[in-house]
Amino acid sequence: MEDDSELDLISELPQSIIEAILAKLPLRDAVRTSILSTRWRYKWASLTHIMFDDRSASHFNDRIVVQDGIVNFITRFLFLHDGPIHKFSLSSSFLQSSPDIDQWLLFLSRKDVKELILELGEGEWFRAPSCVFSCKKLTRLELVRCELDPPPNFKGFLCLKHLSLQQVLIPPDDIEYLISNCPLLESLTLSYFDSLELTVCAPNLKYLILEGEFKDLCLENTPLLVAISVAMYMTDDIAEHFEHSSSCNFDKFLGGVPKLERLIGHIYFTKYLSIGNNQKRSPITYHHLRFIELYQVSFDDMKEVLVVLQLIVNSPNLQELQISGSSNTSATVGAPDLEFWDENFSIDCTLHRLKKVKLTDVSGVEHEMKFIQFLLENSPVLEVMSITPSLYLTDGRLNMLIDLASFRRASSRAKIIFIQEPV
Amino acid sequence: MTEADSEIIKSEMLKAYVWLQTSDDSIQQVEQEVAMFCPFICQEIHSGMGSSKNYPISLPSRVNPPMLSLILDYCRFHQVPGRSNKERKSFDEKFVRMDTKRLCELTSAADSLQLKPLVDLTSRALARVIEGKTPEEIREIFHLPDDLTEEEKLEPIKNTMDDPRIRLLNRLYARKRKELKERERLQDAEIEEERSDERSVDDLLSFINGSGEDSKGTRNSKNKKKNRKRKDQHKTAPSNCISTSNGSSSRNADMDNKESYEHNSLSGNSTVHRNLLTNLRYTTKLQGVENDRFSPEDEFDDCDLEDDIDPALKEKIDREVEDFARRLNSDWPERMQEILSLGQERRPLQSTINGNGSLRKLTSLDQRQK
């Protein structure tokens, strides 16, 4: 078969492949294929995965023009579409809240849509109509900049596996209700929530991503949780709230996740965990925890150091550790308590599997150096430890290196890499 | 003997081979771990085939030897567990750099072997080939027959908002009216036989304005639509000219006024009304053709005044207007008759004689369902 032959190359492919190809085109181009030839006339109309983004929007200076164009396009598209719709994703910065969107959602709810992704432009947040809550077959729901107000008779999404709410306004009780009434929920992402007190009851939950200002976080029933990523922002009220809190955050949050494999904590996460934390040994051992990544750990605060140690010591299978120090070296409260380290060195805390350690923003404070020493002495299979000093540390680098060189290493293969330039 | 050494020896000892037979009956011997990457081959192995030369696994007919070797290259790279995502991605990118014909064959072959990652990769590559190209280019690349009639080519959905095209359409209509008037005066004008413009009422009704970089005919015919809407709106909404979206003609001047008004006021209240109007607009679009409310000259002047397209684009548009006008010339009066008489009903079969003298049948909506 030469290239000059008249043989049609592509129309012979099975419908599933043609759909796969069309689904990867911007929606507008996919619809344009209708004028290619007779066989292609309605191939686009049976797409089951519909994804509209700004690639399909025409670009003019007048925003209203563009928005009306998009509204028109989607309305016509849905009207001429023929067949089931499994996934509908609308992500456009031009589109604002509009009654047409309500109608589309009503249409989709009748089509048993399974995946719904809605991300509209900045401006007035879109208020989700009640038909969203009647999409019984939903397995994935992702909303950005929405107002959600579940109706009183809402019983939950029984098939929902993935829930992602970003910048969503929802009454706090309702969010907990929503989570607990999605029995199959496996992945939960909540971003940019303000002052939320959250208790998560999700027996099948495996992946949890939280980002925002949380007053209180409690993982009550999440035995299958495998990966956690938390970024906690702190405001003054929340800081105050913490002062008066008496419960142990570490236990509340990490007390019931025996299957945890990855833990990522941003911003004030370690500080959050340190509040109310008094024991050195946590109640459970994280046998599967292989990867820990913590940011903004303030080595000036001994309580935070304690949290880090507690995590590490209770994770016998830890393989990789990344810690980024906090550069705001506020005045240390008194002299650091170094005796605590001597106690710790005497217990057996061998990290049998720790291979890779990456420390960034290292400011060389006492606790930090002791921590590094602790790691080096207790990691028999360590391969690489990379240290990047904090940008603010200029004079102390030589001293840091001298100290590093003097530490004992349990692993004969350990390499210490000191990175001068910021990566 | 270190751990690494003993592992190498172990893998050597365990290396098994399977025999695969392609559509041309040639038989190849392939390492089992590589071949097992394909689910189809996996299944066949589990059902006992392929262990010897006499009982090779017969691969589906869409897998010919060159495709098989490509697929095996792919499998051989990806079945190694130690590779990083970056490496895999960069291999994939290089891998799909081939001509479109082979891409299609490869997709077909990978699909028949149920090798989903490769199908995804190749379909993404094919999508990239299609994206952003004009229909002619796409037809050329894939050797698709250009067998749609003019009417069928009017795409069902387009983005509405192309201001230059609104103006283009204005001009088209204006010129057309002029010519029509003239022709009516010279009643014995011979009907030129050029390409017939077979456009069913329904198709015209159902397409959205704005045109793509598609065939000229499509573009111009769409512009014609736009023209109609814009023109009417212009007259009835004196204060707001560039009412960009779907302000279009409707049956009564009153409705038009109301519509433009409401449209221009960003309304929350009149949305229902607006939706109704949207529907109405499209159904009555063609009705507007008969509304001879405007004199062509006025329209023309008004248009030009409001234009702010740059001169180069203007020229281009002018040229295309000429082309389109020429194309329309042939049976405009005839078509007008039909439109007037049939209104919104479905058009029955219509035959016209095109320039070559052969009979071309217009397909009805039924026939178009293929």
Side-chain angles (χ1 to χ4, degrees):
Chain A
M1 287 203 277
E2 303 111 45
D3 270 341
D4 330 307
S5 83
E6 291 302 314
L7 202 55
D8 182 345
L9 291 181
I10 195 172
S11 308
E12 296 292 335
L13 292 175
Q15 177 65 13
S16 56
I17 298 190
I18 304 236
E19 271 198 35
I21 297 176
L22 287 178
K24 294 182 170 76
L25 287 169
L27 204 56
R28 195 142 74 121
D29 287 359
V31 172
R32 283 215 180 115
T33 61
S34 61
I35 66 164
L36 289 178
S37 79
T38 43
R39 293 177 71 172
W40 280 81
R41 195 118 191 267
Y42 294 109
K43 285 200 197 270
W44 66 270
S46 53
L47 279 175
T48 54
H49 285 48
I50 298 167
M51 283 156 290
F52 184 91
D53 54 33
D54 282 340
R55 291 181 300 169
S56 296
S58 45
H59 297 277
F60 296 104
N61 291 329
D62 188 350
R63 201 207 166 79
I64 310 243
V65 175
V66 182
Q67 176 165 346
D68 285 344
I70 296 176
V71 166
N72 207 13
F73 178 86
I74 299 182
T75 309
R76 295 344 274 332
F77 179 92
L78 289 177
F79 184 53
L80 291 170
H81 184 273
D82 179 25
I85 297 181
H86 292 312
K87 173 171 172 179
F88 184 80
S89 159
L90 176 58
S91 170
S92 168
S93 55
F94 295 103
L95 207 51
Q96 306 259 6
S97 175
S98 145
D100 299 277
I101 307 182
D102 289 3
Q103 291 191 358
W104 302 337
L105 290 173
L106 181 59
F107 175 84
L108 292 167
S109 66
R110 292 175 184 156
K111 286 254 184 179
D112 284 338
V113 65
K114 296 204 186 121
E115 297 187 28
L116 183 59
I117 298 166
L118 214 53
E119 179 181 348
L120 303 177
E122 306 273 351
E124 196 189 318
W125 288 10
F126 170 68
R127 191 189 160 82
S130 55
C131 55
V132 171
F133 299 98
S134 59
C135 296
K136 299 251 177 293
K137 301 257 175 74
L138 266 188
T139 57
R140 178 186 290 267
L141 180 61
E142 291 181 23
L143 298 172
V144 179
R145 287 186 279 268
C146 280
E147 270 185 50
L148 269 189
D149 202 3
N153 60 349
F154 177 57
K155 297 278 184 309
F157 292 114
L158 298 175
C159 306
L160 195 66
K161 287 199 184 158
H162 307 269
L163 179 62
S164 165
L165 301 175
Q166 185 183 322
Q167 288 180 274
V168 170
L169 212 60
I170 177 173
D173 298 331
D174 286 340
I175 181 84
E176 286 186 11
Y177 181 83
L178 177 60
I179 297 173
S180 12
N181 281 296
C182 298
L184 298 182
L185 196 62
E186 285 180 14
S187 148
L188 175 63
T189 304
L190 299 176
S191 300
Y192 301 119
F193 277 76
D194 292 341
S195 304
L196 190 59
E197 291 185 21
L198 187 65
T199 304
V200 178
C201 283
N204 279 311
L205 195 63
K206 292 204 184 123
Y207 307 99
L208 178 63
I209 300 176
L210 297 171
E211 184 178 354
E213 296 167 5
F214 292 99
K215 268 199 187 145
D216 195 42
L217 275 179
C218 179
L219 298 180
E220 197 174 287
N221 180 17
T222 52
L224 298 180
L225 209 46
V226 157
I228 298 179
S229 167
V230 179
M232 295 203 58
Y233 299 97
M234 200 78 84
T235 61
D236 290 331
D237 325 320
I238 298 186
E240 238 185 81
H241 174 86
F242 283 155
E243 304 285 317
H244 306 303
S245 152
S246 54
S247 51
C248 173
N249 287 345
F250 192 103
D251 286 341
K252 267 204 296 189
F253 193 71
L254 293 176
V257 289
K259 297 224 168 121
L260 194 60
E261 291 177 25
R262 291 175 74 97
L263 177 63
I264 302 173
H266 292 266
I267 314 187
Y268 286 107
F269 183 60
T270 350
K271 177 145 178 71
Y272 173 76
L273 285 183
S274 68
I275 291 165
N277 186 22
N278 295 316
Q279 313 103 304
K280 289 214 187 107
R281 287 261 174 193
S282 93
I284 66 168
T285 317
Y286 306 104
H287 290 284
H288 302 270
L289 189 50
R290 290 195 309 264
F291 181 88
I292 296 180
E293 195 177 322
L294 297 170
Y295 293 86
Q296 302 270 49
V297 178
S298 168
F299 278 98
D300 289 323
D301 181 358
M302 216 187 85
K303 294 183 102 180
E304 290 193 38
V305 179
L306 194 57
V307 163
V308 176
L309 267 182
Q310 194 171 331
L311 268 174
I312 297 178
V313 157
N314 285 303
S315 314
N317 293 314
L318 187 63
Q319 284 180 13
E320 194 173 325
L321 178 64
Q322 280 189 36
I323 297 193
S324 175
S326 170
S327 329
N328 58 337
T329 43
S330 47
T332 352
V333 181
D337 174 15
L338 296 177
E339 288 177 3
F340 140 86
W341 284 107
D342 296 329
E343 294 164 28
N344 268 310
F345 283 124
S346 53
I347 325 168
D348 176 24
C349 323
T350 317
L351 304 164
H352 293 277
R353 293 235 159 48
L354 188 59
K355 284 196 184 153
K356 240 179 112 177
V357 175
K358 182 171 164 189
L359 302 169
T360 52
D361 261 323
V362 176
S363 30
V365 294
E366 302 271 2
H367 278 306
E368 213 161 7
M369 298 312 292
K370 285 285 182 185
F371 178 66
I372 298 176
Q373 187 178 4
F374 173 83
L375 285 176
L376 285 173
E377 287 192 11
N378 286 296
S379 317
V381 294
L382 186 65
E383 289 174 11
V384 174
M385 176 185 283
S386 76
I387 298 182
T388 311
S390 153
L391 289 173
Y392 303 110
L393 183 71
T394 42
D395 298 333
R397 290 190 187 194
L398 190 56
N399 290 333
M400 195 194 290
L401 277 174
I402 294 172
D403 288 338
L404 277 175
S406 71
F407 292 152
R408 264 193 326 126
R409 301 179 203 180
S411 162
S412 55
R413 291 157 67 166
K415 276 201 288 187
I416 299 187
I417 301 174
F418 196 81
I419 300 173
Q420 287 272 44
E421 287 83 26
V423 172
Chain B
M1 204 182 286
T2 66
E3 206 178 280
D5 290 346
S6 53
E7 275 189 28
I8 294 176
I9 293 183
K10 248 193 277 173
S11 60
E12 283 294 343
M13 293 196 315
L14 290 175
K15 212 175 225 174
Y17 288 85
V18 293
W19 276 260
L20 305 173
Q21 182 175 36
T22 48
S23 48
D24 62 345
D25 287 341
S26 67
I27 301 181
Q28 278 191 44
Q29 190 185 19
V30 181
E31 300 98 319
Q32 181 163 340
E33 55 185 6
V34 171
M36 291 274 272
F37 206 66
C38 303
F40 176 86
I41 297 181
C42 232
Q43 284 168 25
E44 291 287 300
I45 291 179
H46 283 140
S47 59
M49 297 288 287
S51 48
S52 78
K53 200 165 183 183
N54 295 326
Y55 298 102
I57 299 175
S58 9
L59 298 175
S61 56
R62 287 187 272 162
V63 187
N64 53 30
M67 292 302 120
L68 180 62
S69 87
L70 277 174
I71 292 179
L72 291 175
D73 286 342
Y74 180 86
C75 294
R76 199 166 286 123
F77 183 87
H78 280 281
Q79 59 93 19
V80 176
R83 303 209 196 265
S84 73
N85 284 337
K86 231 186 192 174
E87 287 179 349
R88 291 180 194 269
K89 261 194 104 172
S90 115
F91 172 86
D92 284 348
E93 276 169 41
K94 290 202 201 93
F95 187 75
V96 281
R97 282 190 215 149
M98 59 181 83
D99 61 275
T100 318
K101 187 161 172 305
R102 272 154 64 103
L103 257 183
C104 293
E105 281 182 25
L106 185 57
T107 315
S108 181
D111 177 63
S112 63
L113 291 179
Q114 299 160 21
L115 191 51
K116 194 163 186 311
L118 184 54
V119 175
D120 274 346
L121 178 62
T122 47
S123 31
R124 239 179 299 133
L126 283 169
R128 282 199 296 268
V129 169
I130 295 176
E131 191 172 336
K133 298 217 166 59
T134 69
E136 290 85 16
E137 289 171 345
I138 300 178
R139 276 192 218 110
E140 205 186 298
I141 295 173
F142 292 105
H143 303 312
L144 295 174
D146 187 358
D147 55 0
L148 284 171
T149 59
E150 279 310 307
E151 60 163 330
E152 290 169 324
K153 276 190 188 165
L154 299 175
E155 289 175 39
I157 293 176
K158 290 292 260 178
N159 256 329
T160 36
M161 304 295 79
D162 284 4
D163 286 31
R165 275 107 188 190
I166 299 178
R167 296 184 202 106
L168 169 66
L169 224 51
N170 276 331
R171 279 186 220 206
L172 265 177
Y173 261 85
R175 285 190 201 178
K176 209 60 241 172
R177 304 206 145 283
K178 249 206 248 174
E179 286 171 52
L180 253 177
K181 283 259 153 91
E182 283 177 318
R183 200 175 290 162
E184 271 161 17
R185 281 184 224 123
L186 330 154
Q187 284 211 337
D188 52 345
E190 215 180 82
I191 294 172
E192 294 165 57
E193 293 175 325
E194 288 193 349
R195 284 178 69 187
S196 62
D197 199 349
E198 304 148 329
R199 201 170 300 153
S200 87
V201 171
D202 297 274
D203 261 305
L204 284 169
L205 291 177
S206 68
F207 84 79
I208 296 185
N209 328 301
S211 53
E213 305 61 73
D214 317 326
S215 61
K216 266 191 207 156
T218 328
R219 179 206 204 136
N220 293 335
S221 56
K222 275 193 200 39
N223 296 337
K224 186 167 90 129
K225 270 282 164 196
K226 265 279 167 68
N227 189 13
R228 165 52 41 189
K229 297 196 312 193
R230 168 95 168 78
K231 179 168 67 165
D232 293 343
Q233 192 183 38
H234 167 71
K235 261 305 177 163
T236 56
S239 47
N240 311 303
C241 353
I242 316 290
S243 180
T244 44
S245 109
N246 315 317
S248 72
S249 64
S250 62
R251 253 167 242 169
N252 329 325
D254 297 17
M255 268 202 89
D256 239 349
N257 276 325
K258 213 175 4 161
E259 177 187 316
S260 316
Y261 248 88
E262 295 207 36
H263 183 80
N264 293 325
S265 66
L266 307 167
S267 53
N269 321 330
S270 62
T271 27
V272 173
H273 189 73
R274 185 147 63 105
N275 286 335
L276 272 176
L277 285 175
T278 320
N279 297 333
L280 260 176
R281 258 180 249 136
Y282 285 107
T283 56
T284 59
K285 219 184 283 257
L286 269 182
Q287 301 291 347
V289 168
E290 44 185 323
N291 290 343
D292 209 353
R293 289 176 280 167
F294 315 118
S295 66
E297 291 86 48
D298 285 0
E299 199 47 43
F300 227 96
D301 295 334
D302 289 343
C303 266
D304 285 341
L305 281 175
E306 281 158 33
D307 269 334
D308 48 11
I309 330 173
D310 68 303
L313 186 55
K314 249 192 207 176
E315 265 182 68
K316 189 166 175 246
I317 292 175
D318 281 351
R319 254 182 284 123
E320 286 179 356
V321 172
E322 297 295 351
D323 280 343
F324 182 66
R326 240 184 294 121
R327 282 189 54 227
L328 278 183
N329 270 340
S330 50
D331 44 6
W332 180 247
E334 277 182 21
R335 243 179 331 111
M336 276 276 290
Q337 285 290 339
E338 289 195 71
I339 289 165
L340 290 173
S341 60
L342 289 177
Q344 294 183 39
E345 294 171 63
R346 282 185 169 218
R347 223 186 197 186
L349 281 178
Q350 178 207 0
S351 347
T352 64
I353 302 189
N354 69 6
N356 295 336
S358 54
L359 207 64
R360 268 182 83 186
K361 275 195 180 170
L362 247 200
T363 54
S364 68
L365 270 180
D366 301 312
Q367 285 199 353
R368 248 182 282 121
Q369 308 289 343
K370 279 185 194 164

